Amino acid sequence: MADAVIGTLILLALWQGLAFALQDRFLIAGPAQVLGWSIANAGLIGRALVVTGSNAALGFLAGNLAAIGLAALALVVPRLIPMISGLALVVFCLPMVATGPILRVMMGPGNGPQIVLAALAVYYTTLIPLLAGLRAAPASWLDLIHVYGRGRWAELRHIRLRAALPYLAAGLQIAAPAAFLGAMVGEFTGAERGMGVLTIRFTRALDIPAIWSLAAIAALVAIAAYALIGGIARRILHEPPPVILAPPPGGPTQRGWMQALAVLIAVLALWWAGMRLAGLSPFFAKRPSDVLAALAWAPDAAQTRGTLATALAQTARHVLPGYCAGLALGAGLAVLLGLVPRLSAVLTPLAVALRSIPIVTTAPLIVLLAGRGAAGTVLLVAVMVFFPTFVACQHGLRQAPGRILDVFDSYAASRLRKLIHVGIPAMLPALFAAARISVPAAVLAVTVVEWLATGGGIGGLMSLSASVSDYDMLWSAVVLVTLMSWLGHAVISAAERRVLATHAPEQVRP
Amino acid sequence: MAAEAGIACAGLHKAFGEVEAVRDFSAHFASAQTTALVGPSGCGKSTLLRLIAGLDMPDRGTVAIDGQPPERLRERGAISVAFQDPSLLPWLTAARNVALARKLARQPADPALVARLLQMVGLGQFAQSRPATLSGGMRQRAAIARALVTGPGVLLLDEPFGAVDELTRRQLAQDLPPLWHEMGATTLLVTHSVSEAVLLSDRVLVLSPRPAQIVADIDVPLPHPRSPALPDTPAFHRIEAQIRAALSHALDAA
Ligand SMILES: Nc1ncnc2c1ncn2[C@@H]1O[C@H](COP(=O)(O)OP(=O)(O)OP(=O)(O)O)[C@@H](O)[C@H]1O
Ligand SMILES: [Mg+2]
C-alpha cells in the first residue's frame, strides 16, 4: 500500500514537472491545472459522468450476464465450447469504430449503441476466464466427489462453481474499465451527452486543460472501478486471484480447421439471419452477399478493393511496430524489474492501476504530445499493448514455482541465472496470453486514433464511409478488419502452442 | 461368485499408454482387517488403490467388495480415500472440509464428530483455519479426519503420514487404528515406512517394482491395541526384518 502511494506520488511529480518544463508549448496541463479545471467544471463533468457511468453499468451488466449465460451453456453442452469461444472471438474482433456508427443508424439516437458497445467490450474478457475457471478444478478435488459416488451435479455445486469464482472476479475486474471505454466510444458516434461527447468537443477546440482533465477523470473512474471490484472479490474469496491464462484455442489440426470453418459458417448464418429477422433496411444493414458483391463483382469492386488495401497497408505500418514495441517493452520491463525487486514493489501497483485506464480515451492527449503523424499512432498502440503485457508478465514471473527457486537458491545462483532458467520460462505463457488478447486491443487503439485524430488508415476510411453513408465500404472494412484481427490471433495461438508444448506443457490442455 | 466378505481383486491389469502400472494383481483383503502395502516408489500402489475405489477402471480383471462392484459401495458413501496429496478445498476451513465428506456421502451433519476427529489428529486449534495456512503435515491430518468422518466400510489410506513428523506419526499410529477398528473398516494403507506398516497392520503385502505384483505376503500376528513399546520387541523386529528382506529381494530381482 505504502509502495503504491509512493508510486502515485512519483507519477504526479513527474507529470507536474513535465507540465512545468513544457509550459510555453501549451501541450500539457499538470495535475494542479487539471484539479482547477475539474473543480471549476464540476457540474458539467458530474452530469457527463452520470450519463456515461450508467450506460457503462448497463453494458457491464448485460455483457457479463451474456458471458455467464454462454459459460453456463458451455458447461451443460461441453461440445459447444469451441463454437462458443470461436463466435465470441469473432464478435470481440469487430472494430468498435465501425460497429459504433452502424449501431447508431440501426438504433437511432439515445443510449443504445453506448450500452451495446460497453457490453461488447466486456463479455469476452469475462467469458474466457470463466470457461477456464469452470475447468480449472484439479482432478484430485473431483476424485473426492467421485469417491462418495456423486456425479456431475455435485461436482458443479461443490467444486466447479466455487472454483470458477476467482476467475469470474478477475474477469469482472478487467471488465469494469472496459465497459467505461465501450460507453465512451459509443458516445463518439453522435450521442448528445457524456464523457465521450465532451472529449470530442474539447479535442476539436484544442482546449488543453479540458482534454487532460477528462482523460484524468476517465482514468480515475476506471481505476476506482477496478479497485472496487478487486476489493469486493478479496473480501468474499479467500484465495488469491488466479493468473488468467486461457489456453490457446484448438490447434491447426484437421479438427482445428474444421472448427474454424464451422465458426465461419455460423458467423455468416447468424449475420444473415440477424439482418433478416430484424427487418433492417438493406441500405445500411448489409448482408454477407452484399459485402461479397462489393468486393468481388460490383462495377466498382476493383476500386473498393484498392481503397481498402491502401488504407489497410497504412494502418499496418502503424499497428505492427506499435504492437511489437508494446510487447517488447512490457516483457522487457517486467524482466528488468525482476532483477530489481525494490523498484518493482513501487512500480507494479502503479502499472496495475494504469492498465485499467481506458487508454483509447487518452488518444487526443497522445496525439497532442506526439503529433498527428505516425509517431503518435504508433505510441498509442504501444501503450495500449504495453500495460496488459507488463502486468501479465510480472504475474507470470512471480508464478515461478517456489520449490524450484529454492533449488537454485541452494546453489546460491544469481538473480540473473534464476531469471533465465526459471523466471522467463514461467513467464512465457503469460506473455503469449497477453500477446493474443492484445491483437484486438491494438486494432481498437489504432482505429480509434485514426478516427478521432489522424483521419488516415482503415479507421479514417471507416469514419469517412460512415459519414458519407457508403455502407458497402463500411461493412467491407468491418469484415476485413475482423478477419485480420482473427488471423493475427490465430497466428499467435499457433506460435503459442508450439512454444508452450516444450516450455509449459501443463498449460496446454488436450 | 459367492458374496465374499472383504475386498477381492482378481487379475487386475492397468496400463497408462505404454506404462504398465499393475499387472495380474490378485488378492483378497479380509473384512475389518488392516493391510499395509509397501513397495518402491512408482510401483503402482496409488493406482491399485484407485482401482479398488473404482476411481479408475482396470483394463482387465475385477474388484468386488463384499461381492459387489465398488460403485455400489461408493453410492452408499461406504468408501473413503485419503489421497496422497491431501486435496482439501482451499475455500473451506479444516472443519468444513471434514464436514463436506458427510454431506457428499449423504449423511446427516455431525459437528461433534468433526470436532472430535480434528482433536484426535491434533488440529483442535485449527478447525477454523483454511488449508493455505496449514502445514503439509497438518493438511494430511485433516484429510485423514475427512476420510474417517463418514465411518466408512472401506478405508484407503495413501501414505497418510508422508509429511507428518516422527513424533506426531507415533501419536497418530496410537490413536487412529482403534477408530477404524471400532468402525469395522477394511483398511488398506500404503506406506514407505516398514515399521509403520508393522505397527499399524494385521498383514503386509510387499510389492515388486512397476508393474506391481505381490512378492511377499507377511502376517503380523501381534495383538491390538498395540502399545508404544511394541517397536522395541523382538517379535516386531523379526517381522520388520522379514519385510526388509523381501523388499530388497524384489529390488534386486528387477
Ligand atoms: N494418470 C496417469 N497417467 C499416466 N501414468 C500414470 C498415471 N498414474 C500413474 N501413472 C504411472 O503409473 C506408475 C505407477 O504410479 P503410482 O502413482 O501408482 O505409483 P506409486 O506406487 O503410488 O508411487 P509412489 O510411492 O511414488 O506414490 C508410474 O510409473 C506412473 O508414472
Ligand atoms: Mg502413490
Side-chain angles (χ1 to χ4, degrees), chain B residues 62-109:
Chain B
T62 55
V63 175
I65 304 176
D66 299 337
Q68 294 180 323
E71 292 72 57
R72 205 59 57 71
L73 274 89
R74 280 195 287 144
E75 280 155 19
R76 296 206 307 266
I79 301 184
S80 274
V81 184
F83 296 97
Q84 194 166 358
D85 122 49
S87 61
L88 302 175
L89 301 184
W91 52 84
L92 298 181
T93 61
R96 280 170 173 273
N97 261 294
V98 174
L100 175 67
R102 283 189 73 87
K103 198 185 275 180
L104 290 174
R106 300 193 163 92
Q107 295 173 347

Side-chain angles (χ1 to χ4, degrees), chain B residues 14-95:
Chain B
K14 180 73 185 177
F16 298 99
E18 296 287 284
V19 180
E20 214 179 358
V22 176
R23 180 195 291 171
D24 196 24
F25 182 93
S26 299
H28 180 258
F29 303 101
S31 219
Q33 253 203 354
T34 302
T35 307
L37 302 175
V38 295
S41 180
C43 77
K45 304 179 295 293
S46 298
T47 307
L48 203 53
L49 290 196
R50 294 179 61 82
L51 292 177
I52 290 172
L55 290 173
D56 284 338
M57 283 295 130
D59 300 328
R60 261 175 288 147
T62 55
V63 175
I65 304 176
D66 299 337
Q68 294 180 323
E71 292 72 57
R72 205 59 57 71
L73 274 89
R74 280 195 287 144
E75 280 155 19
R76 296 206 307 266
I79 301 184
S80 274
V81 184
F83 296 97
Q84 194 166 358
D85 122 49
S87 61
L88 302 175
L89 301 184
W91 52 84
L92 298 181
T93 61

Side-chain angles (χ1 to χ4, degrees), chain A residues 241-392:
Chain A
V243 214
I244 298 202
L245 290 184
T253 52
Q254 193 84 21
R255 253 185 79 225
W257 288 115
M258 294 297 285
Q259 275 165 7
L261 193 67
V263 169
L264 178 70
I265 293 173
V267 167
L268 293 178
L270 286 174
W271 172 8
W272 185 82
M275 296 299 148
R276 269 306 278 268
L277 291 179
L280 292 167
S281 153
F283 170 65
F284 57 80
K286 297 292 177 195
R287 277 64 162 165
S289 53
D290 300 326
V291 171
L292 198 63
L295 288 173
W297 58 73
D300 59 348
Q303 202 188 338
T304 306
R305 285 199 302 269
T307 311
L308 282 166
T310 314
L312 277 175
Q314 192 185 357
T315 299
R317 280 199 296 279
H318 295 155
V319 80
L320 287 178
Y323 175 81
C324 295
L327 280 187
L329 285 176
L333 191 64
V335 167
L336 197 69
L337 292 189
L339 294 173
V340 194
R342 185 74 194 96
L343 195 59
S344 155
V346 173
L347 289 187
T348 305
L350 203 62
V352 170
L354 289 180
R355 178 181 77 156
S356 61
I357 296 180
I359 301 285
V360 164
T361 61
T362 60
L365 287 187
I366 294 195
V367 172
L368 264 184
L369 293 176
R372 283 178 187 272
T377 316
V378 172
L379 182 65
L380 189 86
V381 173
V383 170
M384 185 86 174
V385 174
F386 168 80
F387 283 108
T389 308
F390 173 68
V391 171

Side-chain angles (χ1 to χ4, degrees), chain A residues 130 160-170 236-237 239:
Chain A
L130 204 49
R160 290 193 192 278
L161 286 183
R162 183 57 184 69
L165 274 189
Y167 288 79
L168 176 64
I236 297 176
L237 308 171
E239 62 269 37

Side-chain angles (χ1 to χ4, degrees), chain A residues 383-461:
Chain A
V383 170
M384 185 86 174
V385 174
F386 168 80
F387 283 108
T389 308
F390 173 68
V391 171
C393 285
Q394 275 232 303
H395 214 133
L397 278 174
R398 261 182 274 126
Q399 285 310 103
R403 295 247 177 76
I404 301 184
L405 285 177
D406 289 345
V407 172
F408 274 74
D409 280 339
S410 67
Y411 295 113
S414 69
R415 260 194 202 131
L416 185 65
R417 250 209 141 74
K418 281 193 286 191
L419 193 68
I420 292 172
H421 291 282
V422 189
I424 291 182
M427 181 185 93
L428 275 181
L431 175 59
F432 273 111
R436 233 180 325 129
I437 203 89
S438 291
V439 171
V443 171
L444 171 69
V446 78
T447 46
V448 169
V449 191
E450 288 169 341
W451 184 27
L452 281 190
T454 68
I458 195 77
L461 179 63

